[in-house]
């Protein structure tokens, strides 16, 4: 498979890894923040109000809720039940449609 990859002009990979034999350039700098629908946002007055909302989390991400909760001094919420999905696009869509934050 590696020989097939070398024939490509461009490949977009997710991650912070070092890929030998490839030149790499960062496309975006992640900026972690929670998102939710306007209806859900009406119920958020303090950070601890997140306890009342379902948490949407993306599988296989190095940065996510655990890191954000620690940064915001809310590590007590790290045990809160979560709904896991396999893409950021799906998580954003779920949040936009009121299924969580």
């Amino acid at each position: 498979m590696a020989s097939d990859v070398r024939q490509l002009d461009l490949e977009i990979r997710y991650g912070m890894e070092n890929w030998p034999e490839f030149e790499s350039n960062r496309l975006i700098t992640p900026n972690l923040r929670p998102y939710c629908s306007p209806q859900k946002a009406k119920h958020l007055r303090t950070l601890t109000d997140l306890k009342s909302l379902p948490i949407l989390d993306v599988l296989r991400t190095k940065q996510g809720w655990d890191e954000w909760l620690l940064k915001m001094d809310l590590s007590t919420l790290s045990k809160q039940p979560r709904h896991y999905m396999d893409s950021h696009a799906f998580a954003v869509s779920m949040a936009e449609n009121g299924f969580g934050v």
Side-chain angles (χ1 to χ4, degrees):
M1 180 137 193
S3 62
D4 294 337
V5 172
R6 290 188 188 121
Q7 295 175 8
L8 298 174
D9 291 328
L10 173 69
E11 181 177 348
I12 297 176
R13 294 184 178 193
Y14 176 80
M16 299 169 54
E17 301 297 325
N18 179 20
W19 295 287
E21 302 179 31
F22 292 93
E23 176 184 339
S24 63
N25 297 292
R26 181 181 298 269
L27 295 178
I28 61 170
T29 301
N31 190 6
L32 300 175
R33 68 185 95 170
Y35 293 92
C36 65
S37 69
Q39 295 80 13
K40 295 283 184 196
K42 290 177 186 178
H43 302 286
L44 295 174
R45 296 293 171 253
T46 67
L47 288 172
T48 55
D49 290 341
L50 287 172
K51 288 181 185 179
S52 66
L53 297 174
I55 288 184
L56 307 172
D57 210 347
V58 180
L59 295 167
R60 297 177 306 278
T61 56
K62 290 185 178 187
Q63 298 176 330
W65 275 106
D66 291 329
E67 185 176 313
W68 189 85
L69 291 170
L70 185 63
K71 182 178 179 179
M72 301 307 290
D73 197 27
L74 293 169
S75 57
T76 57
L77 297 180
S78 64
K79 301 295 183 201
Q80 184 171 341
R82 300 178 191 195
H83 302 286
Y84 291 94
M85 50 228 50
D86 63 358
S87 79
H88 286 93
F90 189 58
V92 169
S93 177
M94 295 285 288
E96 286 176 336
N97 288 290
F99 292 100
V101 62

